[in-house]
């Protein structure tokens, strides 16, 4: 994958429904070059598919947060399993640095978020945590 492919992927992330002609114009390429590159990226598995983000998807979780979690001992796999079973958890990411996990949460209300945070903090092996509310999103994958 080269810089042109990276620019093409960025353009598709911004608008996966853009026409080949629009993509070509935006990237300064020919329409056939854009088509060939998209086909190659799909065949190689770099592009797995295209998706639609619905208004209802965004409305589903009006309260969103990221919770950074520090784990004592070797309980990360167990805690990750417990977290993925929680309805409020949208994703669990392992990471390096100060925090062991980053948990994406989504709820209808602040009260529901508060209850979810309390349950997570009570999990055996969770030593520390820090939570940030997501106020707005400029770009979503």
């Amino acid at each position: 994958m080269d810089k042109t492919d990276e620019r093409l992927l960025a353009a598709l992330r911004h608008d996966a429904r853009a026409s080949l002609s629009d993509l070509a114009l935006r990237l300064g390429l020919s329409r056939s070059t854009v088509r060939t590159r998209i086909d190659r990226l799909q065949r190689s598995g770099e592009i797995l598919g295209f998706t639609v983000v619905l208004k209802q998807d965004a409305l589903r979780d009006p309260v969103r947060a990221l919770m950074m979690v520090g784990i004592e001992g070797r309980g990360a796999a167990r805690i990750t399993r417990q977290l993925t079973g929680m309805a409020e958890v949208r994703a669990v990411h392992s990471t390096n640095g100060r925090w062991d996990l980053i948990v994406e949460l989504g709820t209808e209300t602040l009260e529901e978020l508060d209850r979810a945070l309390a349950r997570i903090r009570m999990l055996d092996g969770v030593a520390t945590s820090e939570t940030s509310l997501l106020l707005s999103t400029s770009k979503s994958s």
Side-chain angles (χ1 to χ4, degrees):
M1 187 162 39
D2 61 13
K3 292 283 186 200
T4 302
D5 289 336
E6 290 173 6
R7 290 177 44 232
L8 175 57
L9 290 174
L12 287 169
R13 278 190 188 104
H14 177 72
D15 182 5
R17 291 195 49 166
S19 69
L20 293 176
S21 298
D22 288 344
L23 290 168
L25 183 64
R26 186 177 311 153
L27 299 171
L29 301 170
S30 71
R31 187 181 180 284
S32 62
T33 298
V34 170
R35 176 68 174 136
T36 301
R37 284 180 176 264
I38 289 174
D39 288 343
R40 183 175 43 79
L41 288 167
Q42 285 180 299
R43 279 193 313 276
S44 71
E46 289 296 323
I47 295 176
L48 296 177
F50 299 87
T51 188
V52 173
V53 178
L54 302 174
K55 181 179 179 181
Q56 182 156 338
D57 295 336
L59 295 176
R60 182 180 100 183
D61 294 328
V63 179
R64 298 168 299 135
L66 295 177
M67 182 182 202
M68 285 65 71
V69 178
I71 298 170
E72 59 188 10
R74 297 178 182 243
R78 177 183 44 78
I79 291 170
T80 298
R81 279 192 307 277
Q82 291 172 313
L83 291 169
T84 57
M86 294 178 64
E88 302 86 355
V89 172
R90 302 292 170 252
V92 179
H93 308 276
S94 61
T95 185
N96 66 330
R98 178 177 176 198
W99 303 105
D100 298 301
L101 300 174
I102 298 177
V103 182
E104 293 181 45
L105 298 153
T107 63
E108 289 286 326
T109 65
L110 284 171
E111 291 79 11
E112 289 176 24
L113 178 64
D114 187 43
R115 287 190 295 272
L117 296 175
R119 284 199 333 258
I120 293 169
R121 290 183 187 118
M122 296 296 292
L123 293 175
D124 186 42
V126 171
T128 58
S129 68
E130 180 178 314
T131 304
S132 295
L133 288 175
L134 301 177
L135 301 176
S136 67
T137 301
S138 299
K139 180 180 177 182
S140 181
S141 62

